[in-house]
Amino acid sequence: MKGKLWVSLLVLIVLGAFLTTGVLAQEKVTIRWLFETDFGGGWKVLIENFEKTHPNIKVEMQEGPSATNTREDMYTTSFMAGESTYDMAYADLIWVPKFAAAGWIIPLGDRLTPYEIAQFLPGDIAGGMYQGKLYRIPSQSDAGMLYYRKDLLEEAGFEPPLTWDDLVEQAQKLQNPPDLWGFVWQGNQYEGLICDYLELLWGAGGELLDAEGKVVLDQGTAAVEALQFMYDVINTYKISPPGVTTYQEEESRHVFHNGQAVFHRNWPYVWTLAQKEDSPIKGKVGITPMVHKEGFQSAATQGGWGWVISKFSKHQEEAWEWIKFATSYESQKILHFYNGYIPTRHALFADPDILKESPHYPDLWRVQINARTRPQHPQYAQISDILQRNLHAGLTGTIKPEEAIKRAAQEIRELLGQ
């Protein structure tokens, strides 16, 4: 009798374990991230495609504020509390050092082979690194460049400018202010000013921090020369409107888009808008790398977005399955056509379907391949705030460029304890 009872109990235990395992195997896991509005609908398409091939994983995109710093704050608040609310983050590259240094995200480099990593643009990979480890898989690239009115340059017999002097000379000959300005860019006090400034600083051989994180901004003459050039294009050469010190991306783009500027520094999205049917400059625009000081090389500020996985997620493997899918060749191609994103994979710049719509992609690749990241420092946000304030003071003539650079370098050293 006792033997039969033990056998029955054993059967029930095994059956229970089997049923429990079966239920778990079929249980649907939800992975979540915070993003702005899916304005093009590309993410909706990707999620539907992913869930068809991964029926046990539900992907939830929470739509949040469009301001990137607000979304960064929301991620930060959640991570600081050790919450698993967000399994992954679609992260701006300047968030990576902060999140990685705090231990909020996990390294992902060991999940890819060197060959797989080499398929991505080097600047986008560099933007996901912190202290030698890859934390972010790039999905959407960005880099600063110089737009020019192809029709006006061709009529005047000019090649696209290479140097600061070329830009000034051509702008002065072609402009007719206030109807047609020579050069518009982003001079407001915000992160965009840093991106514009770094391209000129690097293009004159200067650096903000060295490889060890030491402040070298005020070493040599490049930093002052770069800021002096920004001041001079407004006040000495008079090729930029005085109001450029209040311009962000869209204010400057509107001037160029309306046919009121010869040259324009901005990001890749401008080209697509310039080619719309109702655009006054449709078919009249070219792109080229940002100008540099004579004797130096052009440089572009790297921007872009990519995926990181939260240390606090309970579904890290499911999040990784999504990231592999979302950063694949086909997925980036979908996001390009739906949302206008710039891909991070080399091969997509030669994709026949993309070239039909965007014949400028070989030129864009030349810009992207030379893009550089801003300093990968956990305190980058504070460094940027100091630099923004002092650069803008120098730009508007409140203080001299030499004093602006001296103050910025000193304040950043104090911040970093150097």
Side-chain angles (χ1 to χ4, degrees):
M1 186 64 185
K2 282 186 176 179
K4 289 182 178 179
L5 181 59
W6 278 110
V7 169
S8 297
L9 285 172
L10 184 61
V11 169
L12 287 173
I13 291 171
V14 171
L15 181 60
F18 174 78
L19 290 174
T20 301
T21 304
V23 168
L24 287 176
Q26 295 174 7
E27 184 178 351
K28 199 161 190 172
V29 166
T30 298
I31 53 175
R32 186 178 299 110
W33 94 93
L34 175 72
F35 193 53
E36 61 180 331
T37 301
D38 182 16
F39 61 86
W43 290 113
K44 182 174 182 291
V45 173
L46 248 59
I47 290 171
E48 289 174 352
N49 291 348
F50 178 80
E51 290 182 346
K52 285 177 185 172
T53 55
H54 299 76
N56 291 338
I57 304 176
K58 175 179 171 55
V59 180
E60 184 178 311
M61 185 185 79
Q62 287 191 349
E63 291 194 357
S66 59
T68 58
N69 59 328
T70 306
R71 293 204 304 280
E72 181 189 5
D73 290 343
M74 293 172 71
Y75 277 124
T76 297
T77 301
S78 177
F79 291 157
M80 286 183 71
E83 296 175 347
S84 58
T85 305
Y86 306 116
D87 298 281
M88 50 213 178
Y90 196 60
D92 190 333
L93 58 79
I94 61 175
W95 300 357
V96 173
K98 173 183 172 181
F99 287 6
W104 297 337
I105 55 178
I106 62 173
L108 301 175
D110 291 344
R111 297 171 183 257
L112 295 176
T113 66
Y115 173 79
E116 290 171 325
I117 291 175
Q119 303 311 302
F120 294 95
L121 298 168
D124 286 300
I125 289 295
M129 302 290 293
Y130 180 68
Q131 293 190 340
K133 293 181 179 178
L134 179 64
Y135 284 87
R136 191 196 70 145
I137 308 301
S139 174
Q140 175 187 353
S141 194
D142 232 349
M145 67 193 72
L146 186 69
Y147 290 86
Y148 62 91
R149 283 287 300 276
K150 192 167 53 175
D151 57 327
L152 299 179
L153 264 64
E154 287 176 355
E155 187 178 335
F158 289 138
E159 294 293 324
L162 298 175
T163 67
W164 296 357
D165 292 341
D166 293 341
L167 175 72
V168 172
E169 179 188 355
Q170 295 183 15
Q172 286 181 328
K173 289 183 178 176
L174 295 174
Q175 72 174 358
N176 182 29
D179 298 325
L180 180 67
W181 283 98
F183 178 39
V184 288
W185 42 286
Q186 297 81 50
N188 199 358
Q189 184 179 323
Y190 78 121
E191 182 63 23
L193 173 61
I194 303 302
C195 297
D196 286 31
Y197 176 73
L198 287 177
E199 288 167 358
L200 296 172
L201 174 68
W202 293 330
E207 297 288 345
L208 172 54
L209 305 181
D210 67 12
E212 284 72 44
K214 299 291 185 184
V215 178
V216 293
L217 180 69
D218 55 349
Q219 294 183 10
T221 59
V224 174
E225 290 172 344
L227 182 55
Q228 185 69 52
F229 179 75
M230 297 175 106
Y231 177 87
D232 284 342
V233 296
I234 305 169
N235 301 288
T236 305
Y237 307 131
K238 300 186 184 303
I239 60 174
S240 296
V244 79
T245 58
T246 65
Y247 287 1
Q248 297 192 9
E249 279 84 354
E250 278 301 89
E251 289 86 354
S252 57
R253 183 188 69 81
H254 281 300
V255 176
F256 184 70
H257 186 93
N258 291 332
Q260 296 174 306
V262 181
F263 297 106
H264 176 36
R265 186 275 171 201
N266 211 320
W267 304 96
Y269 80 101
V270 170
W271 196 92
T272 303
L273 296 175
Q275 303 313 313
K276 289 187 177 295
E277 284 302 321
D278 60 351
S279 168
I281 54 174
K282 178 178 168 58
K284 300 178 180 177
V285 175
I287 63 171
T288 192
M290 188 59 188
V291 291
H292 56 83
K293 187 183 173 189
E294 185 73 41
F296 294 89
Q297 298 291 318
S298 176
T301 301
Q302 179 75 57
W305 297 81
W307 292 99
V308 300
I309 296 180
S310 165
K311 170 189 172 184
F312 310 106
S313 169
K314 297 173 183 173
H315 309 299
Q316 293 179 351
E317 293 311 311
E318 288 82 359
W320 176 244
E321 287 300 312
W322 163 253
I323 290 173
K324 284 192 298 182
F325 179 86
T327 59
S328 67
Y329 184 102
E330 288 303 326
S331 292
Q332 289 199 27
K333 191 171 175 179
I334 289 173
L335 289 172
H336 168 78
F337 282 112
Y338 277 84
N339 289 18
Y341 290 177
I342 305 301
T344 61
R345 289 179 173 272
H346 289 280
L348 282 162
F349 287 82
D351 181 275
D353 295 329
I354 291 180
L355 287 177
K356 282 182 189 174
E357 183 206 48
S358 304
H360 69 300
Y361 258 47
D363 290 334
L364 179 58
W365 184 84
R366 286 199 304 126
V367 173
Q368 297 282 158
I369 201 70
N370 290 317
R372 295 182 54 179
T373 62
R374 283 155 276 177
Q376 301 288 92
H377 197 285
Q379 291 175 279
Y380 174 75
Q382 295 96 315
I383 294 171
S384 176
D385 285 343
I386 291 171
L387 198 54
Q388 287 174 34
R389 179 163 33 80
N390 285 286
L391 288 179
H392 198 259
L395 195 59
T396 54
T398 306
I399 55 177
K400 295 288 185 185
E402 293 86 351
E403 183 63 20
I405 297 303
K406 181 180 176 183
R407 288 186 188 182
Q410 182 177 344
E411 290 180 33
I412 295 172
R413 285 196 180 94
E414 289 173 0
L415 169 73
L416 303 182
Q418 296 177 8

